Amino acid sequence: MIAKLSGLLDSVAETFCILDVNGVGYQVFCSARTLRSLPRPGEAIRLHIETHVREEHIHLFGFMSSSERECFNLLQTVQGVGAKVALGILSTLAPDELFRAIASADKTSLNRCDGVGPKLAVRLITELKDKVGGIALGPVASAMPADVAAENGANGPVADALSALVNLGYKRADAFGAVTTAARNLGDKANVQQLIPAALKELAR
């Protein structure tokens, strides 16, 4: 099992790169986001690797961070999501953006990803909303209020503040991050009149 490769970047193609490790060229499939972040050919690079062994092939998938690799594996636990779709999602959404989209039930952001239609977006939210909290994908993940689940019918000031910001035109995932941060800062007893201006301050930063 190959878990990490360090070497020199040989070349970059549309869906993969070639990594030269002591004279051996490894073909590593990556998300478009990862490919855009690679250095110039000939420069040193280290990639976190996920190895898929099948009867017909052995594929290496490369990631700049362990969080991205964890997301890649987590996404494939959802029915209908294989390696290609998982890379398509990570090409559009960084790990922290993906977490916020799932936690806030932001189907619009998920639908922007290659290979994700309305039904799969709902399935991603439904099957992953209880799993993402245990993965360190960003600042929101470390302390998300348990009652923030507006898409599932949750009531209360947090859900009301989220709804108000979305109605003002803010993206659901951005509003979710701002409201959860405001809720953590203000405490459990904060009301919607306190949460909205605090969240707006977070959005303005």
Side-chain angles (χ1 to χ4, degrees):
M1 176 67 72
I2 298 175
K4 186 181 294 184
L5 286 173
S6 297
L8 301 178
L9 182 63
D10 180 87
S11 58
V12 179
E14 185 177 355
T15 59
F16 63 86
C17 67
I18 302 296
L19 187 59
D20 185 331
V21 181
N22 297 324
V24 179
Y26 290 88
Q27 182 183 45
V28 183
F29 294 92
C30 304
S31 69
R33 181 182 295 273
T34 293
L35 291 173
R36 289 193 299 268
S37 67
L38 294 177
R40 292 176 297 182
E43 294 186 358
I45 187 173
R46 180 181 65 181
L47 291 175
H48 297 269
I49 300 296
E50 185 68 26
T51 305
H52 282 194
V53 179
R54 303 290 185 267
E55 285 188 12
E56 66 278 11
H57 67 251
I58 298 176
H59 280 171
L60 303 179
F61 298 91
F63 311 93
M64 296 298 290
S65 68
S66 58
S67 292
E68 189 182 16
R69 183 175 63 187
E70 288 175 1
C71 275
F72 176 74
N73 289 325
L74 181 67
L75 285 167
Q76 291 177 86
T77 65
V78 177
Q79 181 184 0
V81 178
K84 183 177 180 180
V85 173
L87 285 182
I89 293 172
L90 291 172
S91 292
T92 302
L93 299 175
D96 58 331
E97 293 171 330
L98 175 63
F99 175 85
R100 287 196 296 269
I102 292 170
S104 64
D106 185 0
K107 294 187 285 290
T108 300
S109 291
L110 292 172
N111 284 333
R112 289 169 37 220
C113 304
D114 288 342
V116 179
K119 290 184 179 179
L120 183 53
V122 172
R123 196 179 306 137
L124 285 164
I125 293 167
T126 301
E127 296 188 21
L128 296 183
K129 63 180 175 11
D130 294 329
K131 298 179 181 180
V132 294
I135 301 177
L137 300 179
V140 178
S142 62
M144 183 183 70
D147 62 348
V148 179
E151 187 71 12
N152 299 320
N155 297 311
V158 171
D160 291 341
L162 174 59
S163 178
L165 292 180
V166 171
N167 289 335
L168 286 173
Y170 290 98
K171 292 181 179 179
R172 189 176 184 88
D174 293 339
F176 176 80
V179 171
T180 52
T181 298
R184 288 200 306 272
N185 293 338
L186 294 173
D188 296 338
K189 296 183 179 180
N191 58 42
V192 67
Q193 289 80 13
Q194 295 171 313
L195 285 171
I196 290 176
L200 287 171
K201 287 182 180 179
E202 293 296 326
L203 289 167
R205 291 184 177 181

